[in-house]
Amino acid sequence: MHGVLTNGPFNENPRCVAEFADRLRHSRTPYHSASIRHYSGSTGPTSTPKKLNVALYLTGAGVAVAGSGYYFFTSQSAATTTAVAAPPKQEKSPLDPKNFVNFKLKKVIPYNHNTSTFVFELPDNQASLLPVASCVVVKSSDPEALKDDKGKPIIRPYTPTSHPDLIGELHFLIKKYDNGNASKYIHSLKVGDTLGIKGPISKFPYQLNQFEEVALIGGGSGITPLYQILDYALPDKNNKTKFKLIFANTTEKDILLRERFDEFKKNYPDKFDVVYIIEKGDKNWKGDLGYITKDTIKKHVAPASAGDKVKVFVCGKLAAVAGKKAGYDQGEIGGILKELGYSSDQ
């Protein structure tokens, strides 16, 4: 949408307002046919894209028109009339894939006993525009802080949980580990502090409807990359892929983003299902107990014979499922998936 700044007789003459409204009612282009980019709003620990609700108001106080290319706002005192231009389309992310950029911590939202959402401010109301699926790496903004035993900066990968189109903010759901230097450091940050962030680092260039079935196998805080794919694909009305999430944790209270996955299951019952597995549960636990086993995979994941129709994403400390990783890469496939005949491509 484009707009101009307007002052003068239009605002000062109520008859002009009435005539403009009458012309609008007889226009061949309905106001709701405007092409509007969908941005997302914050909903607690995570964010999901929400459609902008644009309405037409014709009142004595003013006229707002969507779809005509302008917004006209008239104050109660009828002193001025202003048309506000929509911001130009953002072409570039404020993140840099080659250099660390310091971003200010805007707020911290506690999630559970050891996990919080850290919300960082993006400059000039920009969106991150991170591709799916990708992550970033972080380090301390203070060169003297967060070092290893050899004096080198500790750098760790994290996957944002906010939608790529969320303007002004970048969210990370981070669990604090007793032996995790980076997570403890981030949990020590106060609002106004900064963190060095570099990215995006592409992990898998996910495309809508690339596969008929996708299995997402996650453990603990390794859930965030899997959530990124689901949050991107499921709300898209053109999505035809069926997703199955197998999510393993120590206890029920450790299940991160559970409310979002339950919401996905409710909203997209034909496209999404989730299986929660915990090691320790009380008598009230109705889900699976124990660990991810060969039988678990055979029951919930399309067989290896499905070929390129199935894709399996694994994230977390799950060497028994997919084999040991090679740095940030998966490395040679192993574990249960290899035993069941899945290929590295799958």
Side-chain angles (χ1 to χ4, degrees):
M1 290 177 286
H2 303 282
V4 295
L5 212 56
T6 307
N7 294 292
F10 177 88
N11 177 69
E12 296 170 0
N13 189 340
R15 181 180 177 183
C16 291
V17 175
E19 290 177 351
F20 179 81
D22 184 66
R23 289 198 301 272
L24 177 67
R25 284 192 294 269
H26 292 85
S27 171
R28 294 183 179 180
T29 305
Y31 73 91
H32 54 75
S33 66
S35 176
I36 303 167
R37 184 178 183 182
H38 294 168
Y39 289 95
S40 58
S42 178
T43 57
T46 60
S47 299
T48 304
K50 297 181 178 179
K51 295 181 180 178
L52 296 178
N53 294 319
V54 184
L56 169 66
Y57 299 98
L58 298 177
T59 68
V63 181
V65 185
S68 65
Y70 302 94
Y71 278 138
F72 291 92
F73 296 102
T74 306
S75 65
Q76 294 274 347
S77 62
T80 59
T81 300
T82 305
V84 181
K89 181 180 179 180
Q90 183 182 333
E91 300 292 343
K92 184 180 178 182
S93 171
L95 296 166
D96 188 333
K98 296 182 179 180
N99 301 289
F100 282 94
V101 179
N102 293 330
F103 292 92
K104 184 183 295 184
L105 182 61
K106 182 178 180 180
K107 57 185 173 182
V108 179
I109 306 171
Y111 185 86
N112 64 11
H113 60 291
N114 60 7
T115 305
S116 294
T117 295
F118 292 81
V119 180
F120 289 88
E121 183 178 325
L122 297 178
D124 303 322
N125 255 355
Q126 296 182 81
S128 70
L129 303 184
L130 287 173
V132 176
S134 67
C135 68
V136 300
V137 290
V138 307
K139 72 172 185 176
S140 172
S141 298
D142 181 356
E144 299 304 318
L146 194 57
K147 295 181 178 181
D148 62 18
D149 295 339
K150 298 180 180 179
K152 295 182 178 181
I154 293 176
I155 299 173
R156 292 289 185 269
Y158 285 99
T159 302
T161 53
S162 47
H163 195 272
D165 277 353
L166 176 63
I167 58 174
E169 294 181 351
L170 186 63
H171 295 199
F172 296 94
L173 185 64
I174 298 178
K175 182 176 181 178
K176 182 180 179 181
Y177 290 93
D178 292 337
N179 59 346
N181 292 324
S183 67
K184 287 192 295 184
Y185 175 80
I186 294 172
H187 273 260
S188 73
L189 295 177
K190 302 293 188 294
V191 172
D193 291 343
T194 62
L195 185 69
I197 302 175
K198 181 172 71 172
I201 298 171
S202 179
K203 300 299 291 182
F204 182 87
Y206 186 84
Q207 299 175 16
L208 204 66
N209 300 324
Q210 192 172 0
F211 310 101
E212 290 186 8
E213 296 188 39
V214 167
L216 307 162
I217 305 175
S221 58
I223 192 62
T224 52
L226 310 182
Y227 171 76
Q228 187 185 71
I229 293 175
L230 291 170
D231 190 43
Y232 165 78
L234 286 175
D236 193 310
K237 63 181 181 180
N238 296 314
N239 171 64
K240 298 178 182 178
T241 300
K242 292 183 178 181
F243 294 90
K244 175 64 71 73
L245 171 63
I246 302 173
F247 191 13
N249 285 277
T250 304
T251 68
E252 185 174 6
K253 66 180 181 179
D254 294 311
I255 301 175
L256 302 177
L257 298 169
R258 184 178 184 178
E259 69 286 348
R260 294 292 292 133
F261 299 132
D262 290 345
E263 183 181 355
F264 286 154
K265 185 173 181 177
K266 178 181 178 181
N267 293 340
Y268 315 104
D270 297 332
K271 297 293 188 295
F272 175 73
D273 192 18
V274 57
V275 177
Y276 298 116
I277 302 175
I278 60 174
E279 297 175 29
K280 306 171 185 176
D282 58 24
K283 61 181 179 180
N284 296 318
W285 175 249
K286 304 300 182 183
D288 291 1
L289 274 175
Y291 303 91
I292 298 174
T293 65
K294 184 183 295 186
D295 288 338
T296 306
I297 304 299
K298 291 172 67 175
K299 181 179 179 180
H300 295 290
V301 180
S305 59
D308 59 7
K309 294 180 180 180
V310 63
K311 190 74 172 181
V312 182
F313 292 90
V314 183
C315 192
K317 296 181 179 180
L318 298 171
V321 174
K324 293 183 178 180
K325 297 188 69 174
Y328 290 155
D329 297 324
Q330 169 56 42
E332 184 178 352
I333 188 171
I336 295 172
L337 291 176
K338 183 177 182 179
E339 293 176 21
L340 290 175
Y342 291 91
S343 67
S344 295
D345 289 340
Q346 290 176 306

